[in-house]
Amino acid sequence: DAGITQSPRHKVTETGTPVTLRCHQTENHRYMYWYRQDPGHGLRLIHYSYGVKDTDKGEVSDGYSVSRSKTEDFLLTLESATSSQTSVYFCATRTGSTNYGYTFGSGTRLTVV
Amino acid sequence: TQLLEQSPQFLSIQEGENLTVYCNSSSVFSSLQWYRQEPGEGPVLLVTVVTGGEVKKLKRLTFQFGDARKDSSLHITAAQPGDTGLYLCAGDMEYGNKLVFGAGTILRVKS
């Protein structure tokens, strides 16, 4: 398999608490992405990374931060979780050309109560 | 506002019928991809189209990229229950860094 592991798979947290989601890959892919998926919106890009310690914002980055200290790990942090951040979060990677497509993890379902 | 508009949003058909899903935009893409997603899993790449006017076939699935590279379609011939899932189109606008996704088409094929 593609070797992308997201953890946790499910999480319920309270409003105002910080939350960190982890994406771990064993493919040595350079590019990594965090998307959120909500009904009617498809997948929306939160942040992405094009190398260790190199990250950039996507279209819905407010309230989120990321870190990539190693090639294999890409962390997404919700600094102070809100109910609007209830969603399914997907990590994706790609190696070189976009033509080869993205490989996605199985997702993390986050509920903020 | 979605940069990529997919239609229809939902499709329920009988086994053996044909169907077409559309993906439209006012923007030009360097490439366009189609993914299929099943419940509880991440999307899986079906195909990438790169050249305007390109047509690719994968068994009963036919993918087409518009001449102007602004739109694409997915046609399924003789749909089967195993085709059930969420179909997503995704466009690459900047030659490599990130994809933008359509909202998806939920396909249900009844036996």
PDB file of all heavy atoms in Angstrom, chain B residues 76-94:
ATOM      1  N   ILE B  76     -19.493   6.541 -17.857  1.00  0.00           N
ATOM      2  CA  ILE B  76     -19.458   5.126 -17.466  1.00  0.00           C
ATOM      3  C   ILE B  76     -20.476   4.372 -18.307  1.00  0.00           C
ATOM      4  O   ILE B  76     -21.660   4.758 -18.351  1.00  0.00           O
ATOM      5  CB  ILE B  76     -19.748   4.929 -15.971  1.00  0.00           C
ATOM      6  CG1 ILE B  76     -18.709   5.684 -15.132  1.00  0.00           C
ATOM      7  CG2 ILE B  76     -19.737   3.443 -15.620  1.00  0.00           C
ATOM      8  CD1 ILE B  76     -18.933   5.580 -13.629  1.00  0.00           C
ATOM      9  N   THR B  77     -20.038   3.333 -18.943  1.00  0.00           N
ATOM     10  CA  THR B  77     -20.900   2.487 -19.760  1.00  0.00           C
ATOM     11  C   THR B  77     -21.325   1.263 -18.961  1.00  0.00           C
ATOM     12  O   THR B  77     -20.499   0.644 -18.281  1.00  0.00           O
ATOM     13  CB  THR B  77     -20.157   2.038 -21.022  1.00  0.00           C
ATOM     14  OG1 THR B  77     -19.714   3.190 -21.742  1.00  0.00           O
ATOM     15  CG2 THR B  77     -21.042   1.192 -21.914  1.00  0.00           C
ATOM     16  N   ALA B  78     -22.594   0.941 -19.043  1.00  0.00           N
ATOM     17  CA  ALA B  78     -23.126  -0.265 -18.372  1.00  0.00           C
ATOM     18  C   ALA B  78     -22.715  -0.301 -16.905  1.00  0.00           C
ATOM     19  O   ALA B  78     -21.989  -1.208 -16.474  1.00  0.00           O
ATOM     20  CB  ALA B  78     -22.684  -1.522 -19.116  1.00  0.00           C
ATOM     21  N   ALA B  79     -23.177   0.679 -16.156  1.00  0.00           N
ATOM     22  CA  ALA B  79     -22.780   0.808 -14.754  1.00  0.00           C
ATOM     23  C   ALA B  79     -23.107  -0.450 -13.948  1.00  0.00           C
ATOM     24  O   ALA B  79     -24.105  -1.142 -14.201  1.00  0.00           O
ATOM     25  CB  ALA B  79     -23.462   2.018 -14.133  1.00  0.00           C
ATOM     26  N   GLN B  80     -22.241  -0.713 -12.981  1.00  0.00           N
ATOM     27  CA  GLN B  80     -22.409  -1.861 -12.094  1.00  0.00           C
ATOM     28  C   GLN B  80     -22.457  -1.391 -10.651  1.00  0.00           C
ATOM     29  O   GLN B  80     -21.940  -0.307 -10.334  1.00  0.00           O
ATOM     30  CB  GLN B  80     -21.236  -2.825 -12.294  1.00  0.00           C
ATOM     31  CG  GLN B  80     -21.135  -3.370 -13.711  1.00  0.00           C
ATOM     32  CD  GLN B  80     -19.922  -4.244 -13.918  1.00  0.00           C
ATOM     33  OE1 GLN B  80     -19.118  -4.457 -13.013  1.00  0.00           O
ATOM     34  NE2 GLN B  80     -19.775  -4.765 -15.124  1.00  0.00           N
ATOM     35  N   PRO B  81     -23.049  -2.170  -9.753  1.00  0.00           N
ATOM     36  CA  PRO B  81     -23.108  -1.762  -8.339  1.00  0.00           C
ATOM     37  C   PRO B  81     -21.740  -1.429  -7.757  1.00  0.00           C
ATOM     38  O   PRO B  81     -21.618  -0.562  -6.896  1.00  0.00           O
ATOM     39  CB  PRO B  81     -23.733  -2.987  -7.654  1.00  0.00           C
ATOM     40  CG  PRO B  81     -24.600  -3.582  -8.711  1.00  0.00           C
ATOM     41  CD  PRO B  81     -23.834  -3.397 -10.001  1.00  0.00           C
ATOM     42  N   GLY B  82     -20.697  -2.075  -8.241  1.00  0.00           N
ATOM     43  CA  GLY B  82     -19.343  -1.789  -7.778  1.00  0.00           C
ATOM     44  C   GLY B  82     -18.842  -0.414  -8.158  1.00  0.00           C
ATOM     45  O   GLY B  82     -17.813   0.038  -7.645  1.00  0.00           O
ATOM     46  N   ASP B  83     -19.546   0.275  -9.058  1.00  0.00           N
ATOM     47  CA  ASP B  83     -19.166   1.636  -9.436  1.00  0.00           C
ATOM     48  C   ASP B  83     -19.670   2.660  -8.425  1.00  0.00           C
ATOM     49  O   ASP B  83     -19.299   3.833  -8.490  1.00  0.00           O
ATOM     50  CB  ASP B  83     -19.732   1.988 -10.816  1.00  0.00           C
ATOM     51  CG  ASP B  83     -19.147   1.143 -11.931  1.00  0.00           C
ATOM     52  OD1 ASP B  83     -17.954   0.772 -11.832  1.00  0.00           O
ATOM     53  OD2 ASP B  83     -19.883   0.835 -12.896  1.00  0.00           O
ATOM     54  N   THR B  84     -20.509   2.232  -7.515  1.00  0.00           N
ATOM     55  CA  THR B  84     -21.061   3.129  -6.501  1.00  0.00           C
ATOM     56  C   THR B  84     -19.947   3.811  -5.715  1.00  0.00           C
ATOM     57  O   THR B  84     -18.976   3.165  -5.315  1.00  0.00           O
ATOM     58  CB  THR B  84     -21.974   2.348  -5.544  1.00  0.00           C
ATOM     59  OG1 THR B  84     -23.133   1.910  -6.274  1.00  0.00           O
ATOM     60  CG2 THR B  84     -22.425   3.204  -4.369  1.00  0.00           C
ATOM     61  N   GLY B  85     -20.094   5.119  -5.522  1.00  0.00           N
ATOM     62  CA  GLY B  85     -19.086   5.860  -4.770  1.00  0.00           C
ATOM     63  C   GLY B  85     -19.183   7.342  -5.058  1.00  0.00           C
ATOM     64  O   GLY B  85     -20.074   7.802  -5.765  1.00  0.00           O
ATOM     65  N   LEU B  86     -18.231   8.084  -4.504  1.00  0.00           N
ATOM     66  CA  LEU B  86     -18.134   9.522  -4.725  1.00  0.00           C
ATOM     67  C   LEU B  86     -17.047   9.762  -5.763  1.00  0.00           C
ATOM     68  O   LEU B  86     -15.916   9.298  -5.590  1.00  0.00           O
ATOM     69  CB  LEU B  86     -17.789  10.238  -3.420  1.00  0.00           C
ATOM     70  CG  LEU B  86     -17.502  11.743  -3.505  1.00  0.00           C
ATOM     71  CD1 LEU B  86     -18.754  12.505  -3.904  1.00  0.00           C
ATOM     72  CD2 LEU B  86     -16.969  12.247  -2.164  1.00  0.00           C
ATOM     73  N   TYR B  87     -17.386  10.470  -6.824  1.00  0.00           N
ATOM     74  CA  TYR B  87     -16.426  10.769  -7.877  1.00  0.00           C
ATOM     75  C   TYR B  87     -16.047  12.247  -7.793  1.00  0.00           C
ATOM     76  O   TYR B  87     -16.915  13.121  -7.774  1.00  0.00           O
ATOM     77  CB  TYR B  87     -17.010  10.434  -9.252  1.00  0.00           C
ATOM     78  CG  TYR B  87     -17.127   8.946  -9.467  1.00  0.00           C
ATOM     79  CD1 TYR B  87     -18.212   8.245  -8.947  1.00  0.00           C
ATOM     80  CD2 TYR B  87     -16.146   8.234 -10.149  1.00  0.00           C
ATOM     81  CE1 TYR B  87     -18.315   6.863  -9.109  1.00  0.00           C
ATOM     82  CE2 TYR B  87     -16.237   6.863 -10.332  1.00  0.00           C
ATOM     83  CZ  TYR B  87     -17.319   6.191  -9.804  1.00  0.00           C
ATOM     84  OH  TYR B  87     -17.411   4.828  -9.971  1.00  0.00           O
ATOM     85  N   LEU B  88     -14.764  12.489  -7.754  1.00  0.00           N
ATOM     86  CA  LEU B  88     -14.236  13.839  -7.595  1.00  0.00           C
ATOM     87  C   LEU B  88     -13.340  14.200  -8.769  1.00  0.00           C
ATOM     88  O   LEU B  88     -12.492  13.399  -9.170  1.00  0.00           O
ATOM     89  CB  LEU B  88     -13.405  13.938  -6.312  1.00  0.00           C
ATOM     90  CG  LEU B  88     -14.123  13.741  -4.988  1.00  0.00           C
ATOM     91  CD1 LEU B  88     -13.154  13.318  -3.899  1.00  0.00           C
ATOM     92  CD2 LEU B  88     -14.839  15.024  -4.579  1.00  0.00           C
ATOM     93  N   CYS B  89     -13.533  15.395  -9.305  1.00  0.00           N
ATOM     94  CA  CYS B  89     -12.559  15.896 -10.264  1.00  0.00           C
ATOM     95  C   CYS B  89     -11.645  16.885  -9.543  1.00  0.00           C
ATOM     96  O   CYS B  89     -12.047  17.497  -8.556  1.00  0.00           O
ATOM     97  CB  CYS B  89     -13.219  16.529 -11.471  1.00  0.00           C
ATOM     98  SG  CYS B  89     -14.168  18.029 -11.150  1.00  0.00           S
ATOM     99  N   ALA B  90     -10.436  17.013 -10.026  1.00  0.00           N
ATOM    100  CA  ALA B  90      -9.455  17.895  -9.393  1.00  0.00           C
ATOM    101  C   ALA B  90      -8.562  18.484 -10.470  1.00  0.00           C
ATOM    102  O   ALA B  90      -8.091  17.764 -11.351  1.00  0.00           O
ATOM    103  CB  ALA B  90      -8.619  17.130  -8.378  1.00  0.00           C
ATOM    104  N   GLY B  91      -8.328  19.793 -10.389  1.00  0.00           N
ATOM    105  CA  GLY B  91      -7.530  20.476 -11.398  1.00  0.00           C
ATOM    106  C   GLY B  91      -6.251  21.056 -10.827  1.00  0.00           C
ATOM    107  O   GLY B  91      -6.228  21.522  -9.697  1.00  0.00           O
ATOM    108  N   ASP B  92      -5.212  20.999 -11.625  1.00  0.00           N
ATOM    109  CA  ASP B  92      -3.923  21.556 -11.252  1.00  0.00           C
ATOM    110  C   ASP B  92      -3.740  22.872 -12.007  1.00  0.00           C
ATOM    111  O   ASP B  92      -3.618  22.877 -13.221  1.00  0.00           O
ATOM    112  CB  ASP B  92      -2.810  20.574 -11.615  1.00  0.00           C
ATOM    113  CG  ASP B  92      -1.437  21.125 -11.304  1.00  0.00           C
ATOM    114  OD1 ASP B  92      -1.340  22.177 -10.632  1.00  0.00           O
ATOM    115  OD2 ASP B  92      -0.447  20.508 -11.724  1.00  0.00           O
ATOM    116  N   MET B  93      -3.750  23.977 -11.267  1.00  0.00           N
ATOM    117  CA  MET B  93      -3.692  25.288 -11.911  1.00  0.00           C
ATOM    118  C   MET B  93      -2.284  25.843 -12.031  1.00  0.00           C
ATOM    119  O   MET B  93      -2.044  26.749 -12.794  1.00  0.00           O
ATOM    120  CB  MET B  93      -4.535  26.290 -11.139  1.00  0.00           C
ATOM    121  CG  MET B  93      -6.001  25.972 -11.120  1.00  0.00           C
ATOM    122  SD  MET B  93      -6.940  27.272 -10.314  1.00  0.00           S
ATOM    123  CE  MET B  93      -6.741  28.601 -11.489  1.00  0.00           C
ATOM    124  N   GLU B  94      -1.382  25.331 -11.235  1.00  0.00           N
ATOM    125  CA  GLU B  94      -0.083  26.001 -11.150  1.00  0.00           C
ATOM    126  C   GLU B  94       1.069  25.073 -11.492  1.00  0.00           C
ATOM    127  O   GLU B  94       2.152  25.210 -10.968  1.00  0.00           O
ATOM    128  CB  GLU B  94       0.110  26.579  -9.753  1.00  0.00           C
ATOM    129  CG  GLU B  94      -0.928  27.615  -9.383  1.00  0.00           C
ATOM    130  CD  GLU B  94      -0.700  28.183  -8.000  1.00  0.00           C
ATOM    131  OE1 GLU B  94       0.344  27.890  -7.392  1.00  0.00           O
ATOM    132  OE2 GLU B  94      -1.565  28.909  -7.511  1.00  0.00           O
TER     133      GLU B  94
END
